[in-house]
Amino acid sequence: LSLRSFLSSYYSANPKDFYIADYPVNVDYEVTAHYVLLKTFNPIIKFPKLIGYKDFELVTNIMGDEKRVLSVMGVGSLPDAENAWNRIIREAGKPSYTTQAQVKQIVQTEDLDLFSLPIPRHFEQDGMHRGFGKYITGGVTTAKDPETGTINLSFTRIQPFSKNEFAFDAGSRGHLWNYLNKAKRLEINLEISVIIGLHPLLYLLAASFLENEYEKAASLIPLTLTDGIKNKIPVPADSEIVIEAEAIGEEFDEGPFSEYTGFVGQDSTKNVARVKSIFRRRKAIYYDIQPSNSNEHLTLFTFSRHSRAAEAISTFMPPGARYSVRWPPSASNYVALASINKAKPALAKQLGLLLLSSDPLFSKIVIVNEEDTPLTIFSSLANIAASYEASRVQVIKGLYSIRSNPTSEGYRGDRALIITRGSGKYAIKRGNGWIEIKPDFGPGSAIVSYSRPQSGTVRVQLNPKIPMEEEEITWALAMLVNPGIDVRAHKDYLSISASRSLGEIPSLPKGALSSALKKIENRSP
């Protein structure tokens, strides 16, 4: 199975889930502008006419929706997908091999030019350190452990800065990072092959911090591999594009880059690789993953971790416990909302503690309701207001945290657990710079305001630059709240400060959105 076959079969069943940009599009900024403008509808976006790249198409946002992940997994519900995933990561299949591979229709080993590929510019800030703003975001970096020969697929952002060299960020403590350090100790250059355009299952596996992903994929789908041209690394025969290279031990400061938090990130391992070959299909499909906190970026980053967290929680919750968990997408997993039906005493707290400890990336703020409720921030604030007691709020300081958490200090961060009870039903009232969320029972209310609220059972002070809408408020609670400092349980009310100054937010150059909007509005029927 290939990226092409998945797109074809999914389109046949869900044509309204696609937007086909059947007009010429510039890969610099216009691709991202289309995604921004169409985000509310959240389609797969195809660009068959790329200005300056006649032998390519481009596709983005393939897995920006839960329904499409279910299709990749061949199941009908999220719990089924999570169960299937936890089986896949424990199983192994056997890929087949061929020498007659579609991906070798065009092979280049001389006069290499990375800029002959339709690599987009996404945001103005990307690559500002050195001025090279094009990034490969949909490339799966494939390498072998220099000591064991184990194959690993992983994600790393890739910035071409010459025709045959690129800089990349290998992250830290992951498999690729370890392989690079082993190669350095052995005084060899690590071979890496960047594969663009794989079956979506391989993308999910590449984002899941595993090894032997080819074998795991082969336990679910037919997978055929082919040998590389210059590297001793096999690649899927039905890939779209392969860039073979080797890390050469030099440094190039390729950042900054638009990270999953919605801020511009400065960190980079600054690795450099030199290209040895480029081979691809004719009319190749270039797969671009929108950076920053796009739907697809977050889905790829979190689906496997959600699945493992769900399994861990189910293992330690009592048999028969009925509960639901949701990580709102706009919160980039730093906020977890849960409900547990007919909870026994302290069982909601047990669920909350499991969520707090399930993953160092997840659940900085956890809100658990002791009965069924909609799992949204407004419903959760209403439930806090309806049942508030200071003893139901607990802040735990100094837990291990991923460094990209905007409110962590190194690898240390604070977390908050709030237990509530309520139906989640509420009425909302808006004023100039404030909103009131009034639960359907009880005397309490939640006030969200740009100035410090002086009334309400829940008092949230919001950064004035954040729109007073639910999705944006959810993001602000996730990114701007340090629970150890900004969450205070008073006797009669809970105060939360989400008023910290914002980091740099990625932006598009002037005219990019209006240019894309004009093309969308003039699109032929």
Side-chain angles (χ1 to χ4, degrees), residues 180-432:
L180 288 163
N181 280 283
K182 286 183 179 182
K184 184 177 181 180
R185 290 197 302 269
L186 295 171
E187 298 183 344
I188 60 173
N189 290 340
L190 182 71
E191 290 186 338
I192 57 176
S193 296
V194 179
I195 312 169
I196 303 170
L198 294 164
H199 187 276
L201 178 64
L202 286 164
Y203 277 91
L204 289 171
L205 285 164
S208 59
F209 302 95
L210 300 169
E211 290 182 300
N212 290 318
E213 290 92 342
Y214 285 154
E215 294 181 0
K216 297 181 189 306
S219 71
L220 184 67
I221 62 173
L223 179 63
T224 302
L225 304 177
T226 190
D227 290 333
I229 303 295
K230 292 287 188 178
N231 284 349
K232 296 178 181 178
I233 300 173
V235 299
D238 50 20
S239 309
E240 296 292 325
I241 304 165
V242 176
I243 303 167
E244 291 185 312
E246 61 180 8
I248 58 175
E250 297 179 5
E251 287 192 356
F252 187 94
D253 191 359
E254 47 79 24
F257 190 68
S258 306
E259 290 291 356
Y260 71 97
T261 57
F263 292 121
V264 176
Q266 301 292 331
D267 291 341
S268 175
T269 59
K270 305 176 184 178
N271 296 90
V272 173
R274 184 164 293 137
V275 179
K276 298 191 287 187
S277 82
I278 300 173
F279 53 100
R280 63 177 178 86
R281 287 175 178 256
R282 296 186 184 91
K283 198 61 177 177
I285 299 174
Y286 185 96
Y287 184 11
D288 183 55
I289 296 169
Q290 295 301 314
S292 191
N293 54 349
S294 72
N295 293 332
E296 183 165 38
H297 191 186
L298 294 176
T299 298
L300 281 167
F301 193 37
T302 60
F303 171 72
S304 65
R305 302 175 88 109
H306 285 174
S307 299
R308 284 182 284 178
E311 182 181 45
I313 291 167
S314 67
T315 299
F316 294 104
M317 286 293 285
R322 289 176 52 199
Y323 59 89
S324 299
V325 177
R326 179 174 179 256
W327 288 271
S330 60
S332 300
N333 300 286
Y334 289 128
V335 171
L337 307 176
S339 65
I340 182 163
N341 190 43
K342 297 180 180 179
K344 294 180 180 179
L347 198 55
K349 186 174 181 180
Q350 175 75 8
L351 175 58
L353 290 172
L354 285 167
L355 283 165
L356 284 175
S357 59
S358 63
D359 193 294
L361 172 63
F362 288 172
S363 309
K364 180 168 64 174
I365 298 174
V366 175
I367 304 173
V368 184
N369 195 61
E370 293 179 324
E371 56 185 286
D372 289 337
T373 184
L375 298 181
T376 69
I377 280 295
F378 281 4
S379 286
S380 297
L381 291 175
N383 289 335
I384 298 173
S387 60
Y388 176 72
E389 295 177 12
S391 61
R392 286 174 162 246
V393 180
Q394 292 190 316
V395 174
I396 304 173
K397 295 187 176 184
L399 294 179
Y400 178 74
S401 173
I402 190 169
R403 287 184 64 186
S404 54
N405 175 357
T407 63
S408 69
E409 296 180 1
Y411 289 103
R412 293 169 59 88
D414 303 336
R415 302 189 182 194
L417 171 60
I418 305 172
I419 306 299
T420 68
R421 187 169 186 84
S423 67
K425 296 179 181 179
Y426 60 87
I428 192 164
K429 184 178 180 181
R430 294 181 179 271
N432 185 18

